[in-house]
Amino acid sequence: MGIQALDITKRFGAFLALDDVTLEVGSGELTALLGPSGGGKSTLLRIIGGLEEADSGRVVIDGVEATGIPAQRRDVGFVFQHYAAFKHLSVYRNVAFGLEIRKRPKAEIQRRVRELLELVHLEQFADRMPAQLSGGQRQRMALARALAVEPKVLLLDEPFGALDAKVRKELRDWLRRLHDEVHVTTVFVTHDQEEALEVADSLVVINHGRIEQVGSPNELYDHPANDFVMGFLGPVTRLGGHLVRPHDIEVLTADSAGAVPASVQRLVRVGYQVRAELRADAAPATAQVAGPGGGQAGAPGAASVGRPAGAEPDAAAADTAVQLTRGQADALELRVGSRVWLRPAQHASVLTAR
Amino acid sequence: MLTSSPPRPAPAPAASRTRPARRRTSGSRWSLRLAAVAYVGVLVALPVGLVLWRTIDQGAAVFLDAITGPEAIAAFRLTAIVAASAVVINTVFGVGAALLLARYRFRGRTLLDLAIDLPISVSPIIVGLALVLAFGWTTGWFGPPLQNAGLQVIFATPGMVLATSFVSLPLVVREVLPVLTETGLEQDQAAQSLGANALQRFRRITLPTIKWALAYGVVLSIARTLGEFGAVRVVSGNVGSQTQTVTLLVDERAEQFEPGAYQLSVVLIAVAALCIVLISIIRPNEKK
């Protein structure tokens, strides 16, 4: 049950958008397809919805073969980034559209539309035209419209991508709660890792037309399969020859086994957090980091900050970023120029840098 | 019942209409105004005014005689048939071509796009000659077979419809295509995912979206087809009461110094003016 997309390949001219991708989504789950733009996630969603045809592969929805069945007979709800509101129809008629197409009795349509408008809290806007709504309201209308026909699956293509940050965050929480009530199998595409981590039951990271990793948000965050997934799901810094999250680095005031000596270059306070940028000493013979992959000689002072999604190690930016709470920073009495020793925290996810 | 409460952002503010900025320097404004008024006056208002004046001068009796004689009635009827057929043909073709150009990528798309503009740039006389070459009953490619099947094209109504359709071909396409391009495919795809088939999507989504542009294109086409002269003259044979449209009759009367040319012209001008009024009503709705 749920959705199965099996061995999907799709090319646009010479560009390989999806390379033999197989995806299974459990019934009633809320799944996020996460990845950079151009990675193929929207294409996969559109293939599942029947808006795009795969070159090869099959789609099975709720146990029913959907390959080759046109979108209008797939029973999927689709929500677009730019709302795709029917501009010439009122909010009420927009939501009623699918039911009118299905020739449901008028009384039933009326009841169902009222119910849905209540669900998305637009009941007082029923007679407005879409142009009179804000972006967030339009997207809620689009969601109600998609849910009206009781689709087997709900597909959302960057549903909050066109909204401003605040509305985005509100709608995100709201989608999560809505899903907890409606329980329709839902797949949404996003390039925002925070959105995916916060909302989804399970994550599918897609890049270059391939699935990099599938799992729960915590699994992926704590045990990324590779440096791409690690870099995409959160901030990453280099410590010696390893990739570590900045908040997973311990700062010690005395030397200790496996710690790398470093000096503080810069301290930036961001609200309740302190970000320290440190430079490891150029002591190649002794600088070793104890990671799960075993100790390995760190390149001299080789550490770069940020998300190395395919970024080359850059000796010029030889910094390690560490995230601390204010309390920690104060306790360590960190100043620019302070000498400290760094090592990954005990449960840190550590990947060997390539 | 369901309890999730979404955020309720304030209703969107009504879009404020901004006026285009206007210069207020009076010197250049006056000279520009004078130039524009003189230009339009000499080129358009004066000649049209003279036609009107000549008609009024000759009196109501002459006017009625001129437009109700058997030749005139036949010409009006033929013009109506030819114009209506051409407008219907071009509306159907125009919407179809616009959909094709806006929504599909195919080999020869650019060629089709360019070919649609051709009738505007080619002289109607050439259009007429080309149609005679293609459909003429002794020499044409399609002429003899059609003739054998009992359908005369050249020197008959079908040829006049063809010629008129040809010269007014781009008008509907060029109005509808930009609207379709701007609207994009998403509404159509949303309707599709909600279960609407192609016909339902066209009727419920596409048609309401393009209706003002379509109406504008149709009105333009009506104005253009009523006034068509050159191509129709070549393919019609110009036989009085048989293959003579109003414009051809005006030409004949003017050439032969027969009375009634101005009176017929006034009727055509009146229809054109009506079209312009319709357009000015439609135009603001189009820009929503």
Side-chain angles (χ1 to χ4, degrees):
Chain A
M1 292 295 133
I3 304 167
Q4 287 147 302
L6 307 167
D7 310 315
I8 302 284
T9 298
K10 174 75 181 175
R11 285 172 193 280
F12 294 107
F15 177 68
L16 185 60
L18 290 171
D19 184 7
D20 196 21
V21 166
T22 292
L23 170 72
E24 303 216 11
V25 175
S27 186
E29 262 184 26
L30 178 51
T31 301
L33 303 185
L34 177 67
S37 35
K41 54 196 192 311
S42 278
T43 307
L44 182 57
L45 193 78
R46 294 170 64 84
I47 286 172
I48 293 171
L51 299 179
E52 203 92 64
E53 213 176 317
D55 296 336
S56 65
R58 294 169 52 216
V59 176
V60 179
I61 296 173
D62 249 4
V64 179
E65 183 74 40
T67 324
I69 291 180
Q72 63 259 36
R73 289 196 274 121
R74 281 199 187 187
D75 254 338
V76 296
F78 210 102
V79 174
F80 298 81
Q81 179 175 3
H82 298 287
Y83 329 126
F86 301 142
K87 289 186 185 141
H88 59 289
L89 298 177
S90 67
V91 171
Y92 180 94
R93 294 282 314 279
N94 261 276
V95 177
F97 188 88
L99 299 167
E100 286 177 3
I101 290 286
R102 283 167 175 72
K103 305 218 163 45
R104 297 281 170 80
K106 233 184 175 139
E108 187 198 326
I109 294 180
Q110 211 160 46
R111 185 183 52 76
R112 182 93 185 113
V113 174
R114 293 279 161 224
E115 204 175 282
L116 278 154
L117 287 179
E118 224 167 89
L119 177 68
V120 300
H121 289 263
L122 288 174
E123 59 269 40
Q124 71 274 43
F125 296 110
D127 298 327
R128 294 239 187 141
M129 298 307 278
Q132 296 169 298
L133 300 183
S134 70
Q137 289 170 329
R138 269 184 242 183
Q139 197 57 299
R140 278 187 278 139
M141 180 193 83
L143 207 53
R145 185 176 69 180
L147 287 171
V149 296
E150 293 174 25
K152 286 192 256 178
V153 297
L154 185 61
L155 307 174
L156 305 102
D157 191 0
E158 303 248 7
F160 313 133
L163 303 169
D164 65 63
K166 189 160 168 283
V167 177
R168 214 182 152 103
K169 200 160 162 41
E170 288 168 346
L171 271 189
R172 186 199 285 175
D173 297 344
W174 177 73
L175 175 68
R176 180 66 245 184
R177 273 177 284 144
L178 183 81
H179 183 264
D180 292 343
E181 285 167 15
V182 182
H183 279 306
V184 57
T185 309
T186 304
V187 180
F188 78 102
V189 158
T190 179
H191 60 251
D192 180 342
Q193 88 285 352
E194 200 186 314
E195 192 168 292
L197 288 170
E198 215 178 291
V199 177
D201 298 323
S202 82
L203 293 190
V204 178
V205 179
I206 297 183
N207 187 33
H208 291 315
R210 291 168 172 277
I211 291 181
E212 299 276 354
Q213 197 176 359
V214 181
S216 74
N218 289 346
E219 274 165 37
L220 262 62
Y221 194 86
D222 293 340
H223 306 290
N226 54 41
D227 55 352
F228 176 80
V229 174
M230 186 173 188
F232 205 81
L233 286 184
V236 172
T237 189
R238 276 164 188 265
L239 178 60
H242 296 266
L243 299 173
V244 195
R245 299 214 184 276
H247 52 76
D248 277 347
I249 294 176
E250 269 181 356
V251 180
L252 309 166
T253 49
D255 196 1
S256 153
V260 177
S263 59
V264 178
Q265 302 288 308
R266 217 159 91 85
L267 285 170
V268 185
R269 207 192 125 195
V270 187
Y272 55 89
Q273 291 177 327
V274 174
R275 199 175 81 229
E277 286 167 20
L278 305 105
R279 181 156 299 166
D281 293 357
T286 54
Q288 293 212 332
V289 178
Q296 206 179 47
S304 67
V305 189
R307 299 171 173 190
E312 294 296 311
D314 188 355
D319 287 328
T320 299
V322 178
Q323 189 131 312
L324 301 158
T325 65
R326 255 194 102 191
Q328 287 172 317
D330 288 348
L332 289 165
E333 293 182 338
L334 286 186
R335 302 277 178 276
V336 172
S338 299
R339 265 199 81 62
V340 291
W341 284 261
L342 305 176
R343 69 174 184 202
Q346 215 153 28
H347 303 292
S349 42
V350 178
L351 284 179
T352 304
R354 281 194 295 209
Chain B
M1 196 37 222
L2 300 154
T3 50
S4 72
S5 64
R8 299 189 187 206
S16 59
R17 295 251 158 110
T18 49
R19 271 166 196 281
R22 295 206 166 135
R23 284 177 185 278
R24 290 187 184 276
T25 335
S26 60
S28 60
R29 184 177 62 170
W30 275 106
S31 44
L32 271 175
R33 183 190 277 190
L34 198 68
V37 168
Y39 184 73
V40 174
V42 172
L43 223 59
V44 181
L46 190 69
V48 171
L50 281 175
V51 170
L52 271 174
W53 181 74
R54 185 65 71 90
T55 304
I56 293 165
D57 195 40
Q58 293 178 353
V62 180
F63 180 74
L64 281 178
D65 269 1
I67 65 167
T68 54
E71 269 199 327
I73 295 289
F76 278 123
R77 178 178 296 155
L78 185 60
T79 298
I81 290 170
V82 168
S85 312
V87 168
V88 168
I89 289 170
N90 274 341
T91 302
V92 173
F93 166 81
V95 171
L99 282 171
L100 191 67
L101 287 171
R103 294 187 174 171
Y104 300 92
R105 295 286 170 272
F106 52 91
R107 242 171 226 281
R109 182 179 173 279
T110 319
L111 205 66
L112 177 64
D113 199 7
L114 291 172
I116 283 171
D117 282 335
L118 202 66
I120 286 286
S121 43
V122 172
S123 161
I125 293 287
I126 297 167
V127 172
L129 288 174
L131 287 175
V132 170
L133 269 184
F135 293 97
W137 79 63
T138 49
T139 53
W141 276 30
F142 311 113
L146 287 173
Q147 186 79 16
N148 292 338
L151 183 71
Q152 188 185 347
V153 177
I154 300 302
F155 303 140
T157 313
M160 299 163 77
V161 172
L162 273 182
T164 309
S165 304
F166 191 115
V167 298
S168 60
L169 180 139
L171 297 173
V172 169
V173 187
R174 289 292 164 227
E175 287 304 318
V176 172
L177 184 55
V179 176
L180 281 177
T181 309
E182 193 195 311
T183 309
L185 262 181
E186 281 201 341
Q187 289 188 47
D188 197 68
Q189 291 180 333
Q192 194 181 5
S193 75
L194 289 168
N197 63 33
L199 192 66
Q200 288 169 320
R201 297 200 297 275
F202 179 75
R203 229 168 44 77
R204 288 167 179 262
I205 306 299
T206 310
L207 210 51
T209 305
I210 62 172
K211 69 178 172 195
W212 292 116
L214 184 60
Y216 186 52
V218 166
V219 173
L220 279 180
S221 298
I222 291 171
R224 179 76 183 81
T225 51
L226 287 179
E228 172 49 27
F229 173 73
V232 166
R233 187 184 170 127
V234 176
V235 299
S236 70
N238 199 7
V239 180
S241 296
Q242 284 181 36
T243 59
Q244 199 169 45
T245 59
V246 179
T247 49
L248 295 180
L249 184 57
V250 169
D251 178 57
E252 187 187 274
R253 286 181 177 177
E255 291 276 300
Q256 311 293 325
F257 299 104
E258 287 171 26
Y262 299 115
Q263 284 75 3
L264 285 177
S265 304
V266 166
V267 174
L268 286 179
I269 290 170
V271 176
L274 190 71
C275 287
I276 290 172
V277 170
L278 275 178
I279 286 168
S280 70
I281 294 170
I282 291 169
R283 253 283 155 77
N285 288 317
E286 192 192 356
K287 307 266 176 263
K288 237 193 261 182

